[in-house]
Amino acid sequence: MDGGGFFHEPGVESLDNLIALVYDLAYFWKVDPEQMMARPLDIFLESLAQAQRINRTLQVD
């Protein structure tokens, strides 16, 4: 993804990774993947960060 360096932080290094992340987040938030893909980038990244935070709090030490 030329010029898409901002995606490297959440681990998105290719279009296939982005699509997989969209489906993972859609599954996590129980929304249609098309709805997740249509979200603005800042909301998408916020959804990702919050999903990661929730997963960390639910993990058993």
Side-chain angles (χ1 to χ4, degrees), residues 36-57:
M36 186 61 69
M37 185 64 83
R39 291 182 176 175
L41 182 58
D42 59 332
I43 301 299
F44 180 81
L45 293 176
E46 180 181 336
S47 296
L48 173 61
Q50 293 300 325
Q52 291 170 335
R53 180 189 63 77
I54 291 166
N55 275 335
R56 280 193 304 273
T57 62

Side-chain angles (χ1 to χ4, degrees), residues 1-18 21 41 44-45 48 52:
M1 290 176 38
D2 193 46
F6 53 88
F7 275 118
H8 288 221
E9 183 179 330
V12 178
E13 298 173 355
S14 71
L15 182 57
D16 289 339
N17 290 131
L18 175 59
L21 185 56
L41 182 58
F44 180 81
L45 293 176
L48 173 61
Q52 291 170 335

Side-chain angles (χ1 to χ4, degrees), residues 16-28:
D16 289 339
N17 290 131
L18 175 59
I19 291 168
L21 185 56
V22 166
Y23 277 83
D24 289 347
L25 283 175
Y27 176 81
F28 183 87

